Amino acid sequence: MTLPIGREDQFVGVIDLLTEKAWIWDDSGDPLKYEIKDVPADMVADVKAWREKLIDQVADQDDDVMERYLEGEEPTIEEIKRCLRKGTINMDFFPTFCGSSFKNKGVQLVLDGVIDYLPNPTEVKPQPEVDLEGNATGDFARVDPDYPLRALVFKIMDDRFGALNFVRVYSGRLKKGDTMLNTYTGKNERVGRMVEMHADDRTEIETAQAGDIVALIGLKNVQTGHTLCDPDKPATLEPMVFPDPVISIAISPKDKGSNEKMGVALGKMVQEDPSFRVETDEESGETIIKGMGELHLDIKVDILKRTHGVEVNVGKPQVAYRETITQRIEDSYTHKKQSGGSGQYAKIDYIIEPGEPGSGFQFESTVTGGNVPREYWPAVEKGFKASVDKGVLAGFPCLDFKVNLTDGAFHAVDSSSIAFEIAARAAYRQSIPKAGPQLLEPIMKVDVFSPEANVGDVIGDLNRRRGMIKSQDAGITGVRIKADVPLSDMFGYIGDLRTMTSGRGQFSMEFSHYMPCPRNVADEVIKEVNERNKAKNK
């Protein structure tokens, strides 16, 4: 849609291919200080060539326009825009703009493109509605002020006036004083104050309707991704999915007096960001923060300092390893305890076997003949389920295995749910070490951009980090490399990448899946965990 005038620090503006006009900004950084001029003489040929490509691509959307274009008649700007909008909504192509956010150059054309080409809510295929249990109701979500209220909380921000709950109203109307149902908690929420936000400015409003984005103040039990709806006609909007954190660090306030202040600040930050978690280590009492990557946690520590005024000491990053098993095992465990009065007795026979990746913990009972009465089965499941949080190799949660309770025995007087739960916990500790336990490590989907001259160095470095290269795509300004790399080998990567590429390389990464650790890495991790535990216990 646009061509850059100049590159990198010589970038001064863009050429709009539709109007064939140059937008040129000064260096003040003020996006409103620009001039619209004719295309520079040295770019006229480029603009002509790229404009032809643009029209070739979009004329397909309208037979009439295409026919006239083939006969040599150029479409009008309105016709090109109509074809662009149609193709964008059908996702046949994606209009692409260039600019610089650093100096605010090119912003206007992007915003105009949003208005001209992106669909409004009535042009999107309506989604089926689901009830509170997740079953389709047979109705569809409609963008209509006269339809029952449906609104999604998509962001929570803490400011000096309290928590601002940013809400998108998908259908219906919302009035100050209204009562809404939060389908996640099952509790009603009342609209106290409603404001319309313009950057830092806010305007108090009394009503909002389908299509509006507003901030609600004073909601009590609301988090990002919750649906607010009409209490008489409930429905749940598709929630946001937040992956589990893959990295953690221990933090502590630099001065003892800031402990409470840090706790309050972390509570607010957790509310704002569902992919950020805070835990207290039961053994050491340390505060552990968990997130999606090194940068994520760096930013959180920075927010603690700048926004909340809490200086913290930061520990070494820890990777969220997991454990699993590799072998099927049949085993039995008997729990007996006799110490005056009624005793405890429970015997269980069971099979433990590996599950499919991503299946988590599964339990079933195939006991027949009443050897383990049905009322004790949930206690056995509870005992195993409570144990999976602590693996036998290094204490990491154990994933993807199945327990089948096959037989057992009970005592009419001494057996109880507690006895069977204790038996299951002990059975886990007894059998998992025999089932070929294995350490799993998080693998990250890494997307690296590198100048062409540095591609060899970047790929070599990713290979040294045990990365598996998935693809390389050459572009005009460089090469995009996609790879799967273990998280443990990605610490400090941004510094190394910038060194290799003279500061021009960029990368992004997100969690992909868990994979078995190589033996040498697993041994090193287990040794490190054992040493850390010894240091804590001293």
Side-chain angles (χ1 to χ4, degrees):
M1 299 302 299
T2 57
L3 290 184
I5 304 172
R7 296 273 168 94
E8 296 174 0
D9 57 346
Q10 303 298 313
F11 176 67
V12 293
V14 299
I15 294 168
D16 180 354
L17 290 176
L18 285 190
T19 60
E20 295 180 274
K21 289 289 180 185
W23 293 55
I24 296 172
W25 282 262
D26 66 19
D27 270 335
S28 66
D30 183 343
L32 298 177
K33 290 192 175 172
Y34 64 89
E35 292 179 81
I36 298 177
K37 301 181 176 180
D38 290 332
V39 174
D42 62 338
M43 292 188 72
V44 169
D46 270 355
V47 169
K48 190 171 186 300
W50 283 100
R51 195 170 193 276
E52 272 181 28
K53 286 183 185 180
L54 188 153
I55 296 171
D56 280 346
Q57 183 79 41
V58 305
D60 278 346
Q61 299 293 324
D62 187 311
D63 293 341
D64 199 28
V65 170
M66 186 58 146
E67 201 174 309
R68 284 188 282 116
Y69 180 57
L70 291 172
E71 288 170 2
E73 186 186 328
E74 189 171 285
T76 64
I77 288 178
E78 285 67 33
E79 286 173 330
I80 297 172
K81 282 189 171 183
R82 193 177 72 243
C83 292
L84 272 163
R85 183 177 180 81
K86 185 181 174 189
T88 305
I89 292 171
N90 293 338
M91 295 206 283
D92 293 333
F93 46 69
F94 303 92
T96 308
F97 296 81
C98 67
S100 165
S101 57
F102 177 54
K103 293 281 184 161
N104 296 316
K105 294 174 183 174
V107 177
Q108 285 91 338
L109 287 101
V110 178
L111 293 176
D112 288 346
V114 168
I115 292 164
D116 290 341
Y117 311 124
L118 292 184
N120 70 49
T122 61
E123 292 171 307
V124 178
K125 192 178 172 186
Q127 297 289 309
E129 282 197 340
V130 293
D131 61 16
L132 305 188
E133 280 74 47
N135 306 310
T137 60
D139 209 342
F140 287 84
R142 292 187 180 90
V143 182
D144 185 346
D146 299 321
Y147 201 63
L149 175 67
R150 310 275 182 261
L152 185 74
V153 180
F154 65 89
K155 179 181 173 66
I156 294 176
M157 197 172 85
D158 197 77
D159 78 354
R160 63 188 188 278
F161 299 108
L164 290 173
N165 298 272
F166 284 86
V167 170
R168 164 77 185 269
V169 183
Y170 282 89
S171 67
R173 288 185 170 84
L174 195 55
K175 291 197 289 292
K176 195 173 169 181
D178 277 0
T179 298
M180 313 166 292
L181 172 69
N182 180 342
T183 59
Y184 186 85
T185 61
K187 293 181 178 171
N188 285 344
E189 295 279 353
R190 188 173 172 278
V191 181
R193 288 170 61 207
M194 187 162 33
V195 295
E196 202 167 48
M197 300 296 293
H198 301 277
D200 288 346
D201 297 331
R202 60 186 70 197
T203 309
E204 290 264 355
I205 55 174
E206 300 291 318
T207 63
Q209 65 176 31
D212 288 344
I213 290 176
V214 295
L216 305 181
I217 302 169
L219 302 186
K220 291 185 172 62
N221 298 303
V222 173
Q223 289 182 356
T224 305
H226 286 187
T227 298
L228 302 172
C229 67
D230 185 332
D232 299 324
K233 292 174 183 168
T236 303
L237 297 169
E238 186 178 344
M240 301 169 190
V241 177
F242 301 104
D244 287 331
V246 290
I247 182 171
S248 62
I249 54 174
I251 61 168
S252 59
K254 283 192 175 172
D255 56 279
K256 292 281 184 275
S258 297
N259 220 343
E260 190 180 335
K261 199 174 171 186
M262 183 181 83
V264 172
L266 288 172
K268 289 177 179 177
M269 288 159 69
V270 167
Q271 219 184 358
E272 288 177 9
D273 181 356
S275 62
F276 176 64
R277 313 265 173 91
V278 178
E279 289 175 9
T280 303
D281 187 297
E282 288 176 12
E283 292 173 11
S284 66
E286 287 179 315
T287 300
I288 310 289
I289 59 173
K290 299 183 173 186
M292 304 312 302
E294 213 174 356
L295 179 63
H296 190 195
L297 295 186
D298 283 349
I299 290 167
K300 295 301 177 192
V301 169
D302 192 47
I303 289 171
L304 274 175
K305 180 181 171 183
R306 281 188 302 106
T307 308
H308 301 285
V310 181
E311 294 269 3
V312 292
N313 298 311
V314 179
K316 192 180 162 200
Q318 304 295 329
V319 176
Y321 291 97
R322 295 288 183 263
E323 298 181 21
T324 191
I325 59 168
T326 57
Q327 295 162 22
R328 181 181 186 275
I329 183 168
E330 290 188 38
D331 213 342
S332 176
Y333 186 84
T334 305
H335 171 65
K336 269 186 195 170
K337 191 178 177 192
Q338 199 71 46
S339 55
S342 61
Q344 289 182 358
Y345 179 82
K347 178 177 186 292
I348 52 173
D349 298 341
Y350 51 90
I351 298 167
I352 295 180
E353 57 190 336
E356 290 293 316
S359 61
F361 167 73
Q362 295 173 299
F363 177 84
E364 70 172 349
S365 174
T366 53
V367 176
T368 53
N371 289 348
V372 177
R374 190 175 287 271
E375 66 261 29
Y376 296 142
W377 296 358
V380 177
E381 180 180 3
K382 187 181 173 189
F384 276 108
K385 204 170 185 176
S387 304
V388 301
D389 287 342
K390 215 164 177 63
V392 296
L393 290 174
F396 295 107
C398 194
L399 303 178
D400 307 335
F401 71 96
K402 181 180 176 182
V403 175
N404 180 3
L405 180 64
T406 55
D407 204 355
F410 77 106
H411 187 278
V413 176
D414 292 349
S415 287
S416 64
S417 291
I418 291 289
F420 275 94
E421 188 181 329
I422 292 169
R425 287 172 182 263
Y428 173 87
R429 292 193 297 272
Q430 170 185 286
S431 303
I432 294 292
K434 303 177 195 172
Q438 185 177 52
L439 204 65
L440 301 173
E441 62 182 349
I443 304 296
M444 308 303 283
K445 211 187 290 179
V446 178
D447 197 336
V448 185
F449 171 81
S450 165
E452 207 160 327
N454 309 110
V455 170
D457 292 339
V458 170
I459 289 177
D461 182 66
L462 288 171
N463 286 331
R464 277 194 296 279
R465 294 172 188 270
R466 297 189 288 128
M468 185 176 285
I469 308 300
K470 294 286 186 183
S471 67
Q472 296 176 55
D473 298 314
I476 295 169
T477 56
V479 179
R480 194 174 175 190
I481 302 155
K482 293 188 177 182
D484 286 348
V485 191
L487 174 64
S488 58
D489 289 281
M490 286 300 291
F491 291 138
Y493 181 61
I494 188 63
D496 294 346
L497 178 65
R498 283 178 179 157
T499 302
M500 281 183 284
T501 60
S502 306
R504 294 174 68 194
Q506 300 168 25
F507 88 105
S508 65
M509 69 174 182
E510 62 178 297
F511 172 69
S512 175
H513 58 283
Y514 276 96
M515 282 280 287
C517 265
R519 188 60 190 266
N520 62 322
V521 175
D523 289 346
E524 192 63 38
V525 171
I526 293 165
K527 182 183 167 192
E528 203 177 292
V529 169
N530 289 338
E531 284 173 0
R532 206 161 57 237
N533 289 340
K534 273 183 198 166
K536 279 180 190 173
N537 294 332
K538 275 182 182 176

